[in-house]
Amino acid sequence: MTIPRLQGAALATVVLVAVGSVAAPTAAGAAPGAPGAARYSAGAASVGDPYFPDQGNGGYDVQHYDLTFSYDPATRFMDATATITAVATQDLDRFNLDFRGPKVSTVTVNGHAHGFTRRGQELIVTPRPKLKAGHTFTVVVKYAGVPGPITDPDGSIEGWVPTDDGAFVAGEPQGAPAWLPTNDHPTDKATFRFTARVPAGLTAVGNGQLLSQKTRDGWTTFTWDSTEPMATYLATITIGNFQVTESTTPSGIPVYVAIDPRLVAGSAAAVAQIPQMIDFFSATFGPYPFASTGAIIDRAPDVGYALETQTKPIFSSAAGVGTMAHELAHQWYGDSVSPERWSDIWLNEGFATYAQWMYTEHTGGASVSQTFNSSSNYGRAASSPFWQTVLADPGPEEMFSNIPYNRGAMTLHALREKIGDGAFFRILRAWAANHRYNHAATADFIALSERESGQKLTAFFDVWLFQKGKPTTW
Ligand code: ARG
Ligand code: ZN
Protein backbone atom coordinates (compact mmCIF):
# COMPACT_ATOMS: atom_id res chain seq x y z
CA MET A 1 0.00 0.00 0.00
CA THR A 2 1.29 3.45 -0.84
CA ILE A 3 3.09 4.90 2.10
CA PRO A 4 3.63 8.59 1.41
CA ARG A 5 6.46 9.98 3.48
CA LEU A 6 8.89 7.19 4.19
CA GLN A 7 8.25 5.26 1.06
CA GLY A 8 10.85 7.06 -1.04
CA ALA A 9 13.65 5.78 1.12
CA ALA A 10 12.22 2.28 1.50
CA LEU A 11 11.56 1.97 -2.20
CA ALA A 12 15.09 3.02 -3.10
CA THR A 13 16.39 0.17 -0.97
CA VAL A 14 14.05 -2.29 -2.61
CA VAL A 15 15.11 -1.26 -6.10
CA LEU A 16 18.79 -1.60 -5.24
CA VAL A 17 18.19 -5.05 -3.84
CA ALA A 18 16.25 -5.91 -6.98
CA VAL A 19 19.07 -4.98 -9.30
CA GLY A 20 21.63 -6.78 -7.19
CA SER A 21 19.77 -9.99 -6.68
CA VAL A 22 18.25 -10.55 -10.09
CA ALA A 23 21.22 -9.57 -12.24
CA ALA A 24 22.34 -13.14 -12.77
CA PRO A 25 19.08 -14.82 -13.80
CA THR A 26 18.04 -12.05 -16.21
CA ALA A 27 21.50 -11.24 -17.61
CA ALA A 28 21.02 -13.38 -20.71
CA GLY A 29 20.50 -11.03 -23.62
CA ALA A 30 20.01 -7.80 -21.65
CA ALA A 31 23.03 -5.59 -21.17
CA PRO A 32 21.98 -3.44 -18.21
CA GLY A 33 22.01 0.24 -19.06
CA ALA A 34 22.78 -0.33 -22.75
CA PRO A 35 20.55 1.50 -25.24
CA GLY A 36 17.58 -0.64 -26.12
CA ALA A 37 18.05 -2.90 -23.09
CA ALA A 38 14.81 -4.45 -21.89
CA ARG A 39 13.09 -2.30 -19.31
CA TYR A 40 11.41 -5.33 -17.85
CA SER A 41 13.10 -7.17 -15.05
CA ALA A 42 12.25 -9.46 -12.20
CA GLY A 43 11.05 -8.03 -8.88
CA ALA A 44 13.40 -8.71 -5.99
CA ALA A 45 12.88 -11.91 -4.02
CA SER A 46 13.35 -10.03 -0.73
CA VAL A 47 12.98 -6.62 0.87
CA GLY A 48 16.42 -7.13 2.40
CA ASP A 49 15.52 -7.46 6.07
CA PRO A 50 18.49 -9.34 7.55
CA TYR A 51 16.44 -11.13 10.27
CA PHE A 52 14.29 -12.90 7.64
CA PRO A 53 16.10 -12.63 4.31
CA ASP A 54 13.35 -14.39 2.32
CA GLN A 55 10.63 -12.08 3.58
CA GLY A 56 8.89 -9.66 1.29
CA ASN A 57 9.51 -8.96 -2.35
CA GLY A 58 10.21 -6.03 -4.64
CA GLY A 59 8.66 -4.62 -7.78
CA TYR A 60 5.10 -4.13 -6.59
CA ASP A 61 3.04 -2.66 -3.79
CA VAL A 62 0.01 -4.63 -2.56
CA GLN A 63 -3.21 -2.65 -2.11
CA HIS A 64 -5.65 -5.36 -1.07
CA TYR A 65 -5.86 -9.06 -0.20
CA ASP A 66 -9.13 -10.93 -0.62
CA LEU A 67 -9.15 -14.51 0.66
CA THR A 68 -12.15 -16.80 0.24
CA PHE A 69 -11.84 -20.30 1.65
CA SER A 70 -13.47 -23.32 3.25
CA TYR A 71 -11.87 -25.08 6.20
CA ASP A 72 -12.95 -28.28 7.86
CA PRO A 73 -11.27 -28.86 11.24
CA ALA A 74 -12.14 -32.58 11.04
CA THR A 75 -9.84 -33.10 8.04
CA ARG A 76 -7.78 -29.87 8.44
CA PHE A 77 -8.37 -29.38 4.72
CA MET A 78 -8.46 -25.87 3.27
CA ASP A 79 -9.70 -24.92 -0.18
CA ALA A 80 -8.80 -21.33 -0.98
CA THR A 81 -8.79 -18.57 -3.56
CA ALA A 82 -6.63 -15.53 -2.84
CA THR A 83 -7.06 -12.41 -4.95
CA ILE A 84 -4.28 -9.87 -4.59
CA THR A 85 -4.49 -6.37 -6.02
CA ALA A 86 -1.14 -4.64 -6.42
CA VAL A 87 0.56 -1.78 -8.26
CA ALA A 88 3.76 -2.51 -10.18
CA THR A 89 6.60 -0.24 -9.01
CA GLN A 90 8.85 -1.26 -11.93
CA ASP A 91 8.34 -2.88 -15.32
CA LEU A 92 7.97 -6.51 -14.30
CA ASP A 93 8.49 -9.72 -16.21
CA ARG A 94 8.54 -11.76 -13.02
CA PHE A 95 7.62 -11.27 -9.40
CA ASN A 96 7.46 -13.31 -6.21
CA LEU A 97 4.95 -13.81 -3.46
CA ASP A 98 5.80 -15.39 -0.10
CA PHE A 99 3.83 -18.61 0.32
CA ARG A 100 4.40 -21.69 2.44
CA GLY A 101 0.86 -23.02 2.23
CA PRO A 102 -0.69 -26.04 0.50
CA LYS A 103 -0.57 -27.09 -3.13
CA VAL A 104 -1.21 -24.35 -5.67
CA SER A 105 -3.38 -25.36 -8.63
CA THR A 106 -3.54 -22.16 -10.69
CA VAL A 107 -2.17 -18.64 -10.77
CA THR A 108 -3.68 -15.97 -12.99
CA VAL A 109 -2.53 -12.40 -13.51
CA ASN A 110 -5.14 -9.99 -14.90
CA GLY A 111 -7.19 -13.03 -15.87
CA HIS A 112 -4.45 -14.83 -17.84
CA ALA A 113 -3.33 -18.21 -16.55
CA HIS A 114 0.40 -18.40 -15.93
CA GLY A 115 3.22 -20.69 -15.15
CA PHE A 116 4.56 -20.47 -11.65
CA THR A 117 7.25 -22.18 -9.66
CA ARG A 118 7.79 -22.61 -5.93
CA ARG A 119 11.16 -22.49 -4.25
CA GLY A 120 11.31 -22.37 -0.46
CA GLN A 121 8.82 -19.68 0.53
CA GLU A 122 8.92 -18.03 -2.90
CA LEU A 123 5.97 -18.40 -5.26
CA ILE A 124 7.49 -17.15 -8.50
CA VAL A 125 5.10 -15.81 -11.15
CA THR A 126 5.99 -14.87 -14.74
CA PRO A 127 3.11 -12.68 -15.98
CA ARG A 128 2.39 -12.46 -19.71
CA PRO A 129 1.67 -9.85 -20.88
CA LYS A 130 4.40 -8.31 -18.72
CA LEU A 131 3.43 -5.64 -16.21
CA LYS A 132 4.18 -1.95 -16.65
CA ALA A 133 5.30 0.24 -13.77
CA GLY A 134 2.44 2.20 -12.25
CA HIS A 135 -0.27 -0.20 -13.44
CA THR A 136 -2.59 -2.01 -11.07
CA PHE A 137 -2.73 -5.77 -11.53
CA THR A 138 -4.70 -8.62 -10.01
CA VAL A 139 -3.23 -11.98 -9.09
CA VAL A 140 -5.51 -14.92 -8.30
CA VAL A 141 -3.94 -17.91 -6.56
CA LYS A 142 -5.99 -21.09 -6.02
CA TYR A 143 -4.70 -23.65 -3.56
CA ALA A 144 -5.93 -26.56 -1.50
CA GLY A 145 -4.56 -28.91 1.13
CA VAL A 146 -3.58 -28.94 4.78
CA PRO A 147 -1.90 -25.74 6.01
CA GLY A 148 0.30 -25.93 9.10
CA PRO A 149 2.48 -24.11 11.58
CA ILE A 150 5.83 -22.43 10.99
CA THR A 151 8.63 -22.64 13.56
CA ASP A 152 10.48 -19.44 14.47
CA PRO A 153 14.15 -18.91 15.29
CA ASP A 154 13.17 -18.76 18.99
CA GLY A 155 11.50 -22.18 18.71
CA SER A 156 7.92 -20.89 19.00
CA ILE A 157 5.22 -21.77 16.48
CA GLU A 158 2.91 -19.55 14.47
CA GLY A 159 1.14 -19.52 11.11
CA TRP A 160 -1.77 -21.96 10.87
CA VAL A 161 -1.94 -23.89 14.16
CA PRO A 162 -4.71 -26.53 14.32
CA THR A 163 -6.55 -26.66 17.66
CA ASP A 164 -8.97 -29.22 19.09
CA ASP A 165 -11.89 -27.26 17.61
CA GLY A 166 -10.46 -25.29 14.68
CA ALA A 167 -7.29 -23.31 14.04
CA PHE A 168 -5.33 -20.58 15.84
CA VAL A 169 -3.99 -18.21 13.21
CA ALA A 170 -1.19 -15.75 13.98
CA GLY A 171 1.73 -14.47 11.97
CA GLU A 172 4.47 -12.59 13.81
CA PRO A 173 7.07 -12.42 12.43
CA GLN A 174 6.67 -14.83 9.49
CA GLY A 175 3.44 -16.82 9.78
CA ALA A 176 1.11 -15.24 7.21
CA PRO A 177 2.57 -17.18 4.24
CA ALA A 178 1.50 -20.42 5.97
CA TRP A 179 -2.00 -19.79 4.66
CA LEU A 180 -1.99 -16.71 2.39
CA PRO A 181 0.29 -15.72 -0.50
CA THR A 182 1.64 -12.32 0.59
CA ASN A 183 4.29 -9.70 0.29
CA ASP A 184 5.22 -10.66 3.82
CA HIS A 185 6.88 -7.61 5.33
CA PRO A 186 5.49 -4.78 7.49
CA THR A 187 6.70 -2.21 4.95
CA ASP A 188 3.90 -3.30 2.56
CA LYS A 189 0.57 -2.81 4.29
CA ALA A 190 -2.77 -3.41 2.60
CA THR A 191 -6.48 -3.72 3.31
CA PHE A 192 -7.87 -7.25 3.71
CA ARG A 193 -11.14 -9.11 3.29
CA PHE A 194 -11.57 -12.68 4.50
CA THR A 195 -14.53 -14.88 3.61
CA ALA A 196 -14.32 -18.11 5.58
CA ARG A 197 -16.72 -21.07 5.30
CA VAL A 198 -16.62 -23.39 8.31
CA PRO A 199 -18.90 -26.16 9.68
CA ALA A 200 -22.03 -24.67 11.28
CA GLY A 201 -21.57 -24.17 15.01
CA LEU A 202 -18.01 -22.89 14.61
CA THR A 203 -17.06 -19.24 14.28
CA ALA A 204 -14.35 -17.81 12.01
CA VAL A 205 -13.03 -14.56 13.53
CA GLY A 206 -11.02 -12.15 11.43
CA ASN A 207 -9.58 -8.68 11.75
CA GLY A 208 -11.86 -5.70 11.24
CA GLN A 209 -15.62 -5.69 10.98
CA LEU A 210 -18.05 -8.55 10.37
CA LEU A 211 -19.85 -7.82 7.09
CA SER A 212 -21.99 -10.92 6.99
CA GLN A 213 -22.61 -14.30 8.54
CA LYS A 214 -24.82 -16.86 6.77
CA THR A 215 -25.55 -20.52 7.48
CA ARG A 216 -26.61 -22.90 4.68
CA ASP A 217 -26.36 -26.66 4.23
CA GLY A 218 -24.50 -27.15 7.49
CA TRP A 219 -21.80 -24.55 6.81
CA THR A 220 -21.50 -20.95 8.00
CA THR A 221 -19.76 -18.29 5.93
CA PHE A 222 -18.25 -15.26 7.69
CA THR A 223 -16.98 -12.18 5.85
CA TRP A 224 -14.57 -9.87 7.68
CA ASP A 225 -13.41 -6.54 6.37
CA SER A 226 -10.22 -4.72 7.44
CA THR A 227 -10.66 -1.18 6.24
CA GLU A 228 -7.40 0.33 7.50
CA PRO A 229 -3.99 -0.73 6.15
CA MET A 230 -2.57 -3.75 7.96
CA ALA A 231 0.78 -5.51 8.02
CA THR A 232 0.58 -9.16 6.95
CA TYR A 233 1.93 -10.41 10.30
CA LEU A 234 -1.14 -8.95 12.05
CA ALA A 235 -3.69 -10.86 9.97
CA THR A 236 -5.85 -13.57 11.52
CA ILE A 237 -8.86 -15.67 10.65
CA THR A 238 -9.08 -17.90 13.69
CA ILE A 239 -11.62 -20.72 13.80
CA GLY A 240 -13.20 -22.48 16.75
CA ASN A 241 -16.09 -22.96 19.07
CA PHE A 242 -16.45 -19.45 20.46
CA GLN A 243 -18.81 -17.58 22.74
CA VAL A 244 -19.25 -14.21 21.02
CA THR A 245 -20.09 -10.95 22.81
CA GLU A 246 -20.69 -7.69 20.98
CA SER A 247 -20.79 -4.29 22.67
CA THR A 248 -19.46 -0.75 22.25
CA THR A 249 -17.00 1.31 24.26
CA PRO A 250 -18.33 4.46 26.01
CA SER A 251 -16.71 6.41 23.15
CA GLY A 252 -18.68 4.38 20.57
CA ILE A 253 -16.11 1.90 19.20
CA PRO A 254 -17.64 -1.52 18.41
CA VAL A 255 -16.19 -4.38 20.49
CA TYR A 256 -16.33 -8.03 19.27
CA VAL A 257 -14.99 -10.61 21.70
CA ALA A 258 -14.77 -14.33 20.85
CA ILE A 259 -13.84 -16.65 23.72
CA ASP A 260 -13.41 -20.37 23.92
CA PRO A 261 -16.10 -21.31 26.49
CA ARG A 262 -13.44 -23.08 28.57
CA LEU A 263 -11.63 -19.74 29.05
CA VAL A 264 -14.51 -17.38 29.82
CA ALA A 265 -14.11 -17.35 33.59
CA GLY A 266 -10.34 -16.96 33.50
CA SER A 267 -10.55 -14.06 31.04
CA ALA A 268 -13.47 -12.17 32.59
CA ALA A 269 -11.47 -9.43 34.34
CA ALA A 270 -9.38 -8.66 31.25
CA VAL A 271 -12.37 -8.66 28.90
CA ALA A 272 -14.38 -6.40 31.19
CA GLN A 273 -11.61 -3.80 31.06
CA ILE A 274 -11.25 -3.60 27.25
CA PRO A 275 -13.38 -0.41 26.97
CA GLN A 276 -11.53 1.42 29.74
CA MET A 277 -8.16 0.33 28.35
CA ILE A 278 -9.08 1.71 24.92
CA ASP A 279 -10.24 4.94 26.53
CA PHE A 280 -7.13 5.32 28.72
CA PHE A 281 -4.78 4.67 25.81
CA SER A 282 -6.77 7.00 23.52
CA ALA A 283 -6.44 9.77 26.10
CA THR A 284 -2.70 9.11 26.42
CA PHE A 285 -1.58 8.18 22.88
CA GLY A 286 -4.21 9.87 20.69
CA PRO A 287 -7.33 8.50 18.97
CA TYR A 288 -7.75 4.72 18.64
CA PRO A 289 -6.59 4.06 15.07
CA PHE A 290 -9.15 1.46 13.90
CA ALA A 291 -12.88 1.15 13.26
CA SER A 292 -13.43 -1.61 15.83
CA THR A 293 -11.76 -3.48 18.67
CA GLY A 294 -12.15 -6.73 20.59
CA ALA A 295 -10.25 -9.93 21.32
CA ILE A 296 -9.98 -13.59 20.34
CA ILE A 297 -9.33 -15.88 23.29
CA ASP A 298 -8.57 -19.39 22.10
CA ARG A 299 -7.07 -22.55 23.51
CA ALA A 300 -3.80 -23.30 21.69
CA PRO A 301 -1.49 -24.69 24.37
CA ASP A 302 1.46 -25.21 22.01
CA VAL A 303 1.54 -21.52 21.10
CA GLY A 304 1.95 -20.05 24.58
CA TYR A 305 1.88 -16.35 23.69
CA ALA A 306 -0.57 -13.63 22.74
CA LEU A 307 -0.35 -11.47 19.63
CA GLU A 308 -1.65 -8.02 18.76
CA THR A 309 -3.60 -9.15 15.63
CA GLN A 310 -5.07 -5.93 14.28
CA THR A 311 -8.35 -4.78 15.89
CA LYS A 312 -8.63 -8.09 17.82
CA PRO A 313 -5.59 -9.33 19.71
CA ILE A 314 -5.39 -13.09 19.97
CA PHE A 315 -4.61 -15.12 23.11
CA SER A 316 -3.60 -18.77 23.19
CA SER A 317 -4.93 -19.27 26.74
CA ALA A 318 -7.02 -17.27 29.25
CA ALA A 319 -6.27 -13.54 28.93
CA GLY A 320 -4.82 -11.70 31.91
CA VAL A 321 -5.34 -7.98 32.53
CA GLY A 322 -1.70 -7.03 31.95
CA THR A 323 -1.46 -8.98 28.68
CA MET A 324 -4.76 -7.52 27.46
CA ALA A 325 -3.45 -3.99 28.13
CA HIS A 326 -0.20 -4.86 26.35
CA GLU A 327 -1.93 -6.21 23.23
CA LEU A 328 -4.40 -3.33 23.02
CA ALA A 329 -1.58 -0.77 23.38
CA HIS A 330 0.09 -2.48 20.40
CA GLN A 331 -2.84 -1.30 18.27
CA TRP A 332 -1.15 2.13 18.33
CA TYR A 333 2.46 0.92 18.58
CA GLY A 334 3.11 -2.08 16.37
CA ASP A 335 -0.13 -2.21 14.37
CA SER A 336 -0.85 1.34 13.21
CA VAL A 337 2.88 2.23 13.45
CA SER A 338 4.84 -0.89 12.46
CA PRO A 339 8.57 -1.56 12.53
CA GLU A 340 10.48 -0.75 9.36
CA ARG A 341 12.92 -3.59 10.04
CA TRP A 342 12.53 -6.44 12.52
CA SER A 343 15.56 -5.11 14.40
CA ASP A 344 13.26 -2.19 15.36
CA ILE A 345 11.11 -4.60 17.40
CA TRP A 346 11.69 -2.64 20.64
CA LEU A 347 9.49 0.08 19.11
CA ASN A 348 6.67 -2.50 19.35
CA GLU A 349 7.45 -4.41 22.50
CA GLY A 350 9.04 -1.63 24.56
CA PHE A 351 6.10 0.69 23.89
CA ALA A 352 3.43 -1.95 24.62
CA THR A 353 5.23 -2.97 27.81
CA TYR A 354 5.53 0.64 28.94
CA ALA A 355 1.82 1.13 28.21
CA GLN A 356 1.13 -1.91 30.38
CA TRP A 357 3.16 -0.31 33.23
CA MET A 358 1.14 2.88 32.80
CA TYR A 359 -2.15 0.99 32.88
CA THR A 360 -1.09 -0.77 36.08
CA GLU A 361 -0.33 2.61 37.67
CA HIS A 362 -3.57 4.11 36.32
CA THR A 363 -5.61 1.34 37.93
CA GLY A 364 -4.01 1.70 41.35
CA GLY A 365 -1.15 -0.81 41.06
CA ALA A 366 2.60 -0.24 41.15
CA SER A 367 3.78 3.13 39.84
CA VAL A 368 5.83 3.12 36.64
CA SER A 369 8.93 4.09 38.58
CA GLN A 370 8.39 1.19 41.00
CA THR A 371 8.10 -1.15 38.02
CA PHE A 372 11.18 0.41 36.40
CA ASN A 373 13.19 -0.26 39.56
CA SER A 374 11.85 -3.77 40.20
CA SER A 375 14.00 -6.87 40.15
CA SER A 376 12.80 -7.84 36.66
CA ASN A 377 13.89 -4.46 35.35
CA TYR A 378 16.50 -1.94 36.48
CA GLY A 379 16.93 -3.88 39.70
CA ARG A 380 18.73 -6.66 37.83
CA ALA A 381 22.39 -6.97 38.76
CA ALA A 382 24.84 -5.45 36.30
CA SER A 383 26.34 -8.92 35.93
CA SER A 384 23.03 -10.39 34.68
CA PRO A 385 23.07 -11.80 31.11
CA PHE A 386 19.95 -9.66 30.63
CA TRP A 387 22.16 -6.65 29.97
CA GLN A 388 24.27 -8.38 27.33
CA THR A 389 21.96 -7.86 24.32
CA VAL A 390 21.91 -4.69 22.20
CA LEU A 391 18.32 -3.40 22.28
CA ALA A 392 18.38 -1.91 18.78
CA ASP A 393 19.53 -5.22 17.27
CA PRO A 394 18.54 -8.20 19.42
CA GLY A 395 18.67 -10.74 16.55
CA PRO A 396 15.90 -13.09 15.36
CA GLU A 397 16.34 -15.53 18.27
CA GLU A 398 15.94 -12.81 20.90
CA MET A 399 13.45 -10.52 19.22
CA PHE A 400 10.71 -11.75 21.60
CA SER A 401 12.93 -12.30 24.65
CA ASN A 402 12.54 -9.94 27.60
CA ILE A 403 15.12 -7.53 26.12
CA PRO A 404 12.82 -5.68 23.68
CA TYR A 405 10.03 -5.75 26.27
CA ASN A 406 11.75 -4.80 29.51
CA ARG A 407 14.84 -2.94 28.37
CA GLY A 408 12.60 -1.28 25.75
CA ALA A 409 10.12 -0.06 28.38
CA MET A 410 12.98 1.03 30.65
CA THR A 411 14.42 3.07 27.79
CA LEU A 412 11.13 4.94 27.46
CA HIS A 413 10.91 5.56 31.18
CA ALA A 414 14.51 6.80 31.32
CA LEU A 415 13.74 9.11 28.39
CA ARG A 416 10.68 10.43 30.22
CA GLU A 417 12.75 11.21 33.30
CA LYS A 418 15.40 12.92 31.21
CA ILE A 419 13.16 15.17 29.11
CA GLY A 420 10.08 15.55 31.33
CA ASP A 421 6.44 14.53 30.98
CA GLY A 422 5.47 17.35 28.59
CA ALA A 423 7.97 16.44 25.86
CA PHE A 424 7.64 12.69 26.52
CA PHE A 425 3.87 12.55 25.98
CA ARG A 426 4.12 14.87 22.97
CA ILE A 427 6.56 12.33 21.51
CA LEU A 428 4.26 9.36 22.15
CA ARG A 429 1.34 11.15 20.48
CA ALA A 430 3.40 12.44 17.57
CA TRP A 431 4.84 8.96 16.99
CA ALA A 432 1.32 7.53 16.65
CA ALA A 433 0.08 10.44 14.52
CA ASN A 434 3.07 10.93 12.20
CA HIS A 435 3.45 7.27 11.26
CA ARG A 436 -0.20 6.20 11.41
CA TYR A 437 -0.91 3.15 9.15
CA ASN A 438 2.74 3.22 8.20
CA HIS A 439 6.12 1.99 9.41
CA ALA A 440 9.00 3.71 11.13
CA ALA A 441 12.55 3.03 12.30
CA THR A 442 14.60 3.62 15.43
CA ALA A 443 16.37 6.56 13.74
CA ASP A 444 12.98 8.25 13.24
CA PHE A 445 12.24 7.88 16.94
CA ILE A 446 15.57 9.40 17.93
CA ALA A 447 15.01 12.33 15.55
CA LEU A 448 11.50 12.92 16.91
CA SER A 449 12.74 12.78 20.52
CA GLU A 450 15.45 15.36 19.83
CA ARG A 451 12.99 17.61 18.00
CA GLU A 452 10.29 17.51 20.69
CA SER A 453 12.67 17.81 23.64
CA GLY A 454 15.05 20.31 22.08
CA GLN A 455 17.91 18.22 23.49
CA LYS A 456 20.78 16.38 21.86
CA LEU A 457 20.14 12.77 22.90
CA THR A 458 23.01 10.95 21.22
CA ALA A 459 24.62 9.81 24.47
CA PHE A 460 21.27 8.84 25.98
CA PHE A 461 20.23 6.60 23.09
CA ASP A 462 23.74 5.28 22.72
CA VAL A 463 23.78 3.70 26.19
CA TRP A 464 20.18 2.51 26.12
CA LEU A 465 19.83 1.31 22.53
CA PHE A 466 23.19 0.67 20.96
CA GLN A 467 25.49 -0.48 23.78
CA LYS A 468 25.52 -3.66 25.79
CA GLY A 469 25.69 -3.39 29.55
CA LYS A 470 23.53 -1.88 32.28
CA PRO A 471 23.21 1.86 31.71
CA THR A 472 24.43 3.84 34.71
CA THR A 473 24.60 7.43 33.48
CA TRP A 474 22.57 8.91 30.65
N1 ARG B 1 4.14 -9.52 19.72
C1 ARG B 1 3.65 -10.52 20.62
C2 ARG B 1 3.41 -9.79 21.93
O1 ARG B 1 4.26 -9.52 22.69
C3 ARG B 1 4.57 -11.68 20.78
C4 ARG B 1 4.75 -12.52 19.56
C5 ARG B 1 5.68 -13.65 19.81
N2 ARG B 1 5.88 -14.39 18.62
C6 ARG B 1 6.76 -15.35 18.47
N3 ARG B 1 6.84 -15.90 17.32
N4 ARG B 1 7.55 -15.70 19.47
O2 ARG B 1 2.40 -9.29 22.18
ZN1 ZN C 1 4.01 -7.30 22.61
Side-chain angles (χ1 to χ4, degrees):
M1 175 146 284
T2 302
I3 299 162
R5 218 158 41 74
L6 287 174
Q7 201 183 27
L11 223 50
T13 317
V14 166
V15 171
L16 284 175
V17 170
V19 170
S21 65
V22 302
T26 55
R39 291 175 302 126
Y40 290 98
S41 59
S46 165
V47 299
D49 190 320
Y51 285 21
F52 298 95
D54 295 335
Q55 265 196 341
N57 304 287
Y60 63 92
D61 180 1
V62 178
Q63 309 295 301
H64 184 69
Y65 294 94
D66 182 302
L67 175 69
T68 300
F69 70 100
S70 299
Y71 184 73
D72 186 355
T75 57
R76 298 184 176 178
F77 192 84
M78 165 186 269
D79 191 345
T81 302
T83 304
I84 301 151
T85 311
V87 176
T89 54
Q90 68 187 66
D91 294 335
L92 281 174
D93 59 13
R94 190 173 91 196
F95 65 87
N96 290 16
L97 288 160
D98 299 305
F99 189 53
R100 300 166 81 172
K103 189 173 166 47
V104 174
S105 56
T106 60
V107 177
T108 67
V109 181
N110 293 335
H112 304 277
H114 289 292
F116 60 89
T117 49
R118 294 182 73 172
R119 200 175 308 140
Q121 78 172 58
E122 306 300 322
L123 173 63
I124 304 161
V125 183
T126 47
R128 295 295 180 272
K130 298 173 185 179
L131 303 170
K132 274 204 156 21
H135 287 203
T136 300
F137 62 99
T138 304
V139 188
V140 178
V141 183
K142 288 189 192 291
Y143 49 101
V146 178
I150 284 170
T151 302
D152 289 326
D154 66 2
S156 58
I157 56 166
E158 54 159 322
W160 190 275
V161 183
T163 56
D164 59 6
D165 60 3
F168 176 100
V169 182
E172 188 183 29
Q174 50 163 356
W179 52 281
L180 182 68
T182 63
N183 189 23
D184 190 36
H185 196 268
T187 46
D188 190 3
K189 296 189 176 186
T191 53
F192 289 70
R193 181 173 291 188
F194 296 137
T195 299
R197 183 173 165 269
V198 296
L202 299 183
T203 304
V205 193
N207 314 91
Q209 294 76 249
L210 182 61
L211 285 189
S212 67
Q213 172 178 342
K214 284 185 206 108
T215 301
R216 233 186 83 193
D217 302 332
W219 290 76
T220 308
T221 302
F222 296 83
T223 298
W224 289 95
D225 206 22
S226 287
T227 42
E228 298 89 13
M230 177 165 81
T232 50
Y233 79 91
L234 298 169
T236 189
I237 180 79
T238 288
I239 298 160
N241 176 27
F242 289 119
Q243 184 185 95
V244 172
T245 321
E246 291 185 77
S247 59
T248 38
T249 66
S251 49
I253 300 164
V255 186
Y256 183 106
V257 177
I259 317 187
D260 184 308
R262 295 166 289 188
L263 304 174
V264 169
S267 307
V271 168
Q273 291 178 55
I274 291 174
Q276 77 185 67
M277 288 173 179
I278 294 286
D279 284 357
F280 172 64
F281 293 144
S282 302
T284 314
F285 306 144
Y288 178 70
F290 306 119
S292 63
T293 186
I296 306 167
I297 304 172
D298 196 4
R299 194 177 168 282
D302 296 338
V303 174
Y305 59 80
L307 176 65
E308 60 269 24
T309 36
Q310 192 157 301
T311 69
K312 288 180 198 69
I314 188 162
F315 299 79
S316 59
S317 59
V321 171
T323 310
M324 181 64 77
H326 178 104
E327 306 308 338
L328 291 178
H330 268 308
Q331 304 301 312
W332 284 259
Y333 306 118
D335 294 17
S336 176
V337 185
S338 300
E340 187 160 308
R341 287 291 176 266
W342 286 115
S343 52
D344 296 315
I345 190 72
W346 81 277
L347 295 170
N348 284 16
E349 301 307 343
F351 279 56
T353 302
Y354 195 62
Q356 195 182 334
W357 295 6
M358 287 194 287
Y359 186 74
T360 300
E361 180 181 82
H362 174 71
T363 50
S367 68
V368 286
S369 66
Q370 281 167 341
T371 307
F372 176 92
N373 284 306
S374 81
S375 58
S376 21
N377 293 309
Y378 198 69
R380 284 175 194 267
S383 58
S384 163
F386 173 87
W387 300 108
Q388 291 314 307
T389 299
V390 172
L391 180 55
D393 191 12
E397 294 82 11
E398 278 203 77
M399 60 186 288
F400 300 112
S401 76
N402 54 13
I403 310 303
Y405 293 73
N406 296 50
R407 187 172 177 142
M410 277 187 264
T411 300
L412 291 176
H413 189 66
L415 177 67
R416 178 177 173 181
E417 290 196 321
K418 186 170 178 74
I419 65 178
D421 279 9
F424 180 74
F425 287 104
R426 279 202 307 278
I427 291 166
L428 291 190
R429 296 173 77 93
W431 188 247
N434 298 353
H435 304 287
R436 183 170 148 119
Y437 307 144
N438 207 330
H439 54 84
T442 297
D444 299 314
F445 185 71
I446 295 172
L448 174 67
S449 299
E450 294 194 332
R451 221 161 42 236
E452 290 293 344
S453 67
Q455 293 184 34
K456 192 93 195 101
L457 296 168
T458 317
F460 173 89
F461 284 117
D462 190 49
V463 297
W464 277 101
L465 292 177
F466 299 111
Q467 300 296 329
K468 290 185 184 174
K470 180 173 177 173
T472 49
T473 52
W474 55 81

